[in-house]
Amino acid sequence: MIGIARLALAGLVAIMAMGAARAEDALKAKIGVLRLSSSAPVFIAQDKGYFREAGLDVELKFFDAAQPIAVATTSGDIDFGVTAFTAGLYNLAGKGVLKVIGGMSREKAGYPLIGYFASNNAYAAGLKTPKDLAGKRVAMTQVGSSFHYSLGLLADKYGFKLADVKIVPLQSLSNAAAALKGETVDAALLPISTARKLMDDGGAKFLGWVGDETPWQLGAVFASPKTLTNKALVTKFLGVLAKADREYHDVILAAMKDGVAPINEQTKPLLEIIAKYTNLPVEQVVGNCAYIDPDGKLDVKNVDNQIKWLQEQGFADKGFDVNAIIAKEFVKAD
């Protein structure tokens, strides 16, 4: 009996040792994200164990604005960034210290994500629609951010000068929301996840969705050249994201109607995961599901347009185009 017990114990130790070895063999990666639905596939892959199953030991690091994610990627604080394009990101990529390796969220009609919101006083004074933003004080995270580009597209659409808008960069979403509620700005561009509580509390008025006004490629996946030398890591990471992109699209986005996802047996598990990572109740997540291409494709033509626009505005350095910032061996072009 003692011999059998010893054999059983030895077997258990061997199994534990094998598990520990597999854990040590896992490729480690830190991913920088915002707590927004635009990163939903990342949350799904992490929560459902897809990264772990692919041999990846992933840690999510959360930020409050897009630009710091790009900086953290170049410094090596994180291995991958998943967030919106910004002038700062493009400048880093133009210098060769950052590469775009895939697409993520898009502004698309019918999928509420980023909206234009007015303060109560400004709304009462006549700020009723996005085209009324000319001449107003508008809060956003940073100059040259995705919000700034959205406003530039809006100005082009309605024929007013972007220079006539007083941009108020407040560095974070929470600061922009506070300024709107406090009536120190006339309007703000905010994700619905941030703006919803403002509206529910009567602190802001909704004007319109960026995706309905000016659709464009909002977010991307990117990495530093150093990270890209680890082909196994990048290939596994993108493979897992592709799986999660497809699941998110086919289960949630395909079921959406009038900008809202239904809560049912199929969608609820994924909606609960998004709610967990965005710190929102499921009832709010359903109207806050960003569009993401099911194959993780990148709208390369629009990205080139973004670069040119930012360069014309003086927000991005000149001398590079979209071909200089994408890692063609990884990017699936749309």
Side-chain angles (χ1 to χ4, degrees), residues 236-252:
K236 286 185 176 183
F237 175 68
L238 290 178
V240 172
L241 273 191
K243 176 181 179 179
D245 286 344
R246 172 60 66 177
E247 183 173 0
Y248 172 72
H249 179 277
D250 290 356
V251 175
I252 294 181

Side-chain angles (χ1 to χ4, degrees), residues 120 181 194-205 284:
N120 289 323
K181 182 178 181 180
T194 301
R196 188 180 298 279
K197 189 175 189 309
L198 275 178
M199 292 192 295
D200 290 346
D201 294 343
K205 293 291 192 296
Q284 290 188 18

Side-chain angles (χ1 to χ4, degrees), residues 249-265:
H249 179 277
D250 290 356
V251 175
I252 294 181
L253 297 186
M256 287 180 67
K257 185 176 182 181
D258 297 326
V260 177
I263 301 176
N264 56 39
E265 186 177 312

Side-chain angles (χ1 to χ4, degrees), residues 107-125:
E107 288 287 6
K108 186 178 176 69
Y111 298 88
L113 181 57
I114 307 299
Y116 304 97
F117 300 90
S119 71
N120 289 323
N121 287 346
Y123 189 85

